[in-house]
Amino acid sequence: MVSVAIDGPAGAGKSTIARALAGRLGYIYVDTGALYRSVGLYVLESGRDTADPAQVSACLDEICIELKFIEGEQRVLLGGRDVSERIRTPEVSMAASRVSAVPAVRSFLFDLQRNMGKTNSIVMDGRDIGTVVLPDADVKIFLTASPEKRAQRRWKELREKGEQVTLQQVLEDVIQRDYNDSHRETAPLRQAEDAVLIDTSELTLEESIEALYRTVRERLDLPEGEENR
């Protein structure tokens, strides 16, 4: 089995690029951010404070999260309900950032994430995949872009979904999430020592996917057509 770990800050395009990369390689894509977003959504919907570790921890025994692949697409189920779209809102994004700093949440999701890599060749993205979840991953990539570029991309996505937000608001959220993710006590966002840094600030989506695809092939020393194994 082959494991590819992709880490990076919010809005770097990890999910979109990792999903496309997995498809091109013939591997399973695991969106760990969706797991934290689901926890954040549950805490929000239960009326508890996402910034209070005690209240967040008290929710965990009630939460049931499943990742299912339906017609080749990953769908996220929370208590049997498909929340794949709901977890992508700005409110839930910020909630995910807060609950991900709670050690109990990371322990709750740790085994689920790691076990996925034991039976399948996977591409997994998140904040601490190469440093904590899959420290022995075959390929580690740290994907980033400038805060301004990330905010611009995220703002465009939200506008297309009908969200009424300003570019300045999105930029402020991106900067706040960067701070939260890199300053938390448990598994802060950082580049693994053996990770390849890829900055997509000036790259198109297709160019970004190609850059990661080329990196994986070079790291694994794979001839053309031998990715899926």
Side-chain angles (χ1 to χ4, degrees):
M1 298 303 142
V2 176
S3 57
V4 179
I6 302 176
D7 291 308
K14 295 188 303 296
S15 296
T16 301
I17 295 171
R19 184 182 292 107
L21 177 66
R24 193 165 174 182
L25 293 168
Y27 298 172
I28 298 246
Y29 166 60
V30 181
D31 176 5
T32 62
L35 303 177
Y36 287 99
R37 286 171 179 269
S38 297
V39 173
L41 175 60
Y42 186 92
V43 177
L44 283 174
E45 292 185 338
S46 69
R48 288 146 164 140
D49 184 357
T50 57
D52 184 333
Q55 291 189 45
V56 172
S57 298
C59 291
L60 298 180
D61 287 341
E62 308 166 8
I63 299 175
C64 177
I65 305 171
E66 299 174 90
L67 296 182
K68 291 201 170 181
F69 293 87
I70 302 173
E71 296 181 356
E73 180 181 1
Q74 179 184 272
R75 306 299 292 179
V76 187
L77 304 184
L78 179 60
R81 174 171 56 112
D82 191 332
V83 294
S84 304
E85 278 72 44
R86 177 74 178 94
I87 60 174
R88 300 299 170 183
T89 65
E91 180 187 24
V92 175
S93 292
M94 195 56 68
S97 180
R98 287 191 287 264
V99 302
S100 67
V102 179
V105 173
R106 307 198 76 80
S107 296
F108 173 69
L109 296 176
F110 182 80
D111 288 340
L112 176 61
Q113 295 175 76
R114 179 164 282 186
N115 288 338
M116 289 178 180
K118 291 181 178 179
T119 56
N120 301 282
S121 287
I122 61 170
V123 174
M124 185 180 294
D125 73 283
R127 301 288 190 281
D128 61 353
I129 308 306
T131 55
V132 177
V133 179
L134 300 176
D136 298 320
D138 298 286
V139 183
K140 298 179 186 179
I141 295 170
F142 193 84
L143 186 67
T144 190
S146 69
E148 292 76 16
K149 283 287 187 179
R150 289 185 280 131
Q152 192 174 56
R153 293 168 182 170
R154 182 62 176 154
W155 176 73
K156 183 178 179 182
E157 290 174 3
L158 292 172
R159 293 284 292 179
E160 290 174 350
K161 293 178 180 178
E163 297 281 346
Q164 298 301 310
V165 293
T166 67
L167 179 57
Q168 184 59 35
Q169 287 174 322
V170 177
L171 177 58
E172 290 172 359
D173 283 348
V174 166
I175 292 172
Q176 184 62 53
R177 284 207 67 182
D178 284 354
Y179 182 86
N180 292 348
D181 292 342
S182 60
H183 286 77
R184 65 191 181 206
E185 291 185 15
T186 304
L189 171 67
R190 65 179 178 82
Q191 180 180 340
E193 291 183 3
D194 53 347
V196 177
L197 176 65
I198 297 179
D199 189 319
T200 67
S201 296
E202 304 304 323
L203 299 180
T204 65
L205 175 58
E206 287 305 317
E207 288 171 340
S208 299
I209 295 169
E210 179 61 31
L212 270 70
Y213 178 68
R214 188 168 56 250
T215 296
V216 170
R217 286 174 48 75
E218 290 174 352
R219 285 288 171 129
L220 296 178
D221 194 24
L222 293 178
E224 189 71 40
E226 292 189 16
E227 295 90 349
N228 193 351
R229 62 190 176 99

